[in-house]
Amino acid sequence: MLPSKENSLQRLLQFTLARCCSRSVGKAACPRLVLGIETSCDDTGAAVLDEEGVILGESLHSQKEVHLRTGGIIPTVAQHLHREHIQRVVQEALERSGVGPSQLSAVATTVKPGLALSLGIGLEFSQRFVREHNKPFIPIHHMEAHALTVRMIHPVTFPFLVLLVSGGHSLLAVARGVSDFLLLGHSLDEAPGDTLDKVARRLSLIKHPRCSTLSGGQAIELLAKDGDRTKFPFKTPMGQTLDCSFSFSGLRNQVTMTIMKKEVEEGVEQGTLLSCVNDIAAATQHTVATHLAKRTHRAILFCKTNGLLPSSSPTLVLSGGVASNHYIREALTIITETTGLRLLCPPARFCTDNGVMIAWNGIELLREGKGVLSPDVDVHYEPKASLGVDISADVKAAAIRLPSLRMKITS
């Protein structure tokens, strides 16, 4: 469909929807609409969705450029920027949707997990909003929202396996239903996105002419395309630990020691671009991808042994900000093709934090009548929050050894 026709149809839909809702107050003819608000880290996002997953309007303010200049996310800076932009972002999402507050069925907002100061801004704004307009409030678990986003795009039925990888989180879980998860493994230290960002900062990639406007993970992926990963054979973490949890801090230490050694060899100070940055980027990315793939392989075998996935068309969903990395997607494709699963991943723009995924999670919960609160109920944010029922001990006890598999990734 041509963009002009698509835009015209969307405007027509919004106009028709607005007229429907204005004339059908109290009637079932008007579809339910949810406003989603996301402020868990460094993006301020808002979106209005209908119950079929149609995005009626959205807005997103990214803080990436600010945090690139400061060398990382400073919570107080993120809080200030959320406070400065949230009113505008929400207003833009509503105006673009052609929907007024009175037409909303509920407001869904991320309340866990995330940066405390960032979560607080979104929750404070949302609670004022729902009380002012007397609308139900739906608290959202950020990782659940990532896990369910794919269902907005593909007709994925429960149960399915999900690998969530982002700048702040990594986990493997079986999604058995909305707000019903079995946690198979999670990061024991830092998240993969955080590791890639830290390696990029240690390599001073912001000084690279091709990377000055990219996040750390994006810079690593770009430079890795021209690198030789075999020049630096980093050891894959937790090779002798037979479970599905992750560890990335040891890999980061390996990379840091290598960078320090190369700085001495090249006679340069820290902060100077090394001649081998492409090779280090390629080796780092490959090791992260291999670690994720191996833990996912064990999770698939555990699920098959214990009947946790359907025998027909079992699915692995890859989501979260790091899921936009094509090399990592290729690594997971090798695993799913070997084990007979299909791999699904939301489009890249829905992998990173956004209001759309929060609104969709709200739609899913609203449909099932789960977690929908009256506007006067006090809700507290939770910077740390696990997802579902933790059965990682059972996975470790199973001690599943992986068959030999060559990770020949061509992407």
Side-chain angles (χ1 to χ4, degrees):
M1 183 181 290
L2 293 174
S4 58
K5 291 184 178 179
E6 185 175 315
N7 292 338
S8 297
L9 285 175
Q10 181 154 347
R11 287 195 297 270
L12 178 60
L13 172 64
Q14 293 170 358
F15 176 75
T16 304
L17 180 64
R19 291 194 64 185
C20 161
C21 293
S22 64
R23 295 179 179 181
S24 306
V25 177
K27 297 181 181 181
C30 187
R32 290 182 293 185
L33 310 174
V34 171
L35 167 65
I37 298 175
E38 156 64 15
T39 64
S40 67
C41 189
D42 59 338
D43 287 326
T44 310
V48 178
L49 267 63
D50 70 12
E51 55 192 316
E52 300 302 319
V54 176
I55 304 169
L56 303 177
E58 63 176 312
S59 180
L60 181 70
H61 177 265
S62 174
Q63 303 177 8
K64 184 177 75 172
E65 290 186 10
V66 172
H67 298 301
L68 277 175
R69 291 197 300 269
T70 58
I73 297 173
I74 301 173
T76 52
V77 173
Q79 179 192 42
H80 170 75
L81 293 172
H82 282 306
R83 181 179 286 117
E84 182 179 348
H85 294 283
I86 189 168
Q87 175 73 45
R88 174 186 59 80
V89 167
V90 171
Q91 190 61 38
E92 282 180 356
L94 289 170
E95 289 176 354
R96 290 168 183 174
S97 70
V99 171
S102 65
Q103 296 163 266
L104 295 170
S105 301
V107 175
T109 301
T110 306
V111 301
K112 61 183 176 182
L115 297 177
L117 296 179
S118 296
L119 290 169
I121 297 299
L123 179 57
E124 180 185 14
F125 177 90
S126 299
Q127 293 214 295
R128 284 200 312 268
F129 186 95
V130 297
R131 287 167 183 171
E132 178 183 351
H133 300 289
N134 194 31
K135 294 296 173 181
F137 181 64
I138 307 176
I140 298 295
H141 191 300
H142 184 77
M143 303 309 288
E144 178 178 319
H146 272 307
L148 298 182
T149 301
V150 71
R151 282 167 47 87
M152 184 182 76
I153 302 154
H154 302 284
V156 186
T157 56
F158 297 111
F160 57 85
L161 181 64
V162 58
L163 170 63
L164 301 181
V165 280
S166 68
H169 310 278
S170 59
L171 61 85
L172 277 159
V174 177
R176 300 190 298 180
V178 179
S179 298
D180 182 7
F181 293 84
L182 294 177
L183 183 64
L184 305 179
H186 58 92
S187 179
L188 302 177
D189 37 58
E190 62 190 42
D194 188 30
T195 297
L196 294 172
D197 286 345
K198 287 175 177 175
V199 169
R201 284 200 294 273
R202 185 61 183 81
L203 285 168
S204 301
L205 296 188
I206 195 171
K207 296 180 180 179
H208 196 288
R210 300 174 64 195
C211 303
S212 61
T213 62
L214 301 179
S215 68
Q218 291 171 332
I220 293 287
E221 182 177 12
L222 177 66
L223 297 185
K225 292 177 181 178
D226 299 320
D228 181 357
R229 65 176 178 79
T230 63
K231 293 288 184 65
F232 299 100
F234 298 129
K235 186 177 179 180
T236 304
M238 302 180 71
Q240 303 304 312
T241 306
L242 305 182
D243 62 13
C244 291
S245 288
F246 307 94
S247 174
F248 295 96
S249 61
L251 169 61
R252 181 165 56 82
N253 288 337
Q254 289 184 68
V255 179
T256 299
M257 295 299 292
T258 297
I259 294 171
M260 292 172 64
K261 180 181 177 181
K262 297 305 294 184
E263 286 171 343
V264 171
E265 290 179 4
E266 296 189 11
V268 299
E269 296 182 354
Q270 179 176 335
T272 304
L273 284 172
L274 293 169
S275 63
C276 56
V277 287
N278 291 358
D279 298 333
I280 293 177
T284 302
Q285 178 178 253
H286 178 76
T287 310
V288 168
T290 301
H291 185 38
L292 292 171
K294 287 183 175 181
R295 313 316 272 188
T296 303
H297 193 178
R298 180 173 289 109
I300 291 171
L301 296 180
F302 178 84
C303 288
K304 286 190 170 187
T305 300
N306 293 276
L308 297 178
L309 295 176
S311 57
S312 176
S313 298
T315 299
L316 169 67
V317 169
L318 174 63
S319 192
V322 178
S324 60
N325 181 295
H326 291 282
Y327 193 90
I328 289 173
R329 289 194 191 193
E330 182 65 25
L332 270 298
T333 298
I334 292 173
I335 298 301
T336 52
E337 289 180 350
T338 300
T339 55
L341 272 69
R342 65 169 178 165
L343 176 65
L344 291 178
C345 185
R349 79 182 190 95
F350 294 139
C351 287
T352 53
D353 296 347
N354 58 84
V356 172
M357 72 180 196
I358 305 305
W360 175 251
N361 198 170
I363 290 289
E364 294 255 41
L365 289 164
L366 190 63
R367 283 174 176 170
E368 298 201 1
K370 291 182 176 180
V372 182
L373 308 177
S374 63
D376 59 341
V377 174
D378 286 327
V379 178
H380 302 281
Y381 59 81
E382 300 175 46
K384 295 183 179 180
S386 60
L387 180 68
V389 178
D390 190 343
I391 63 167
S392 57
D394 296 334
V395 179
K396 188 171 185 177
I400 297 173
R401 294 191 176 276
L402 299 178
S404 180
L405 183 62
R406 188 182 180 192
M407 296 297 294
K408 187 176 181 180
I409 306 170
T410 57
S411 177

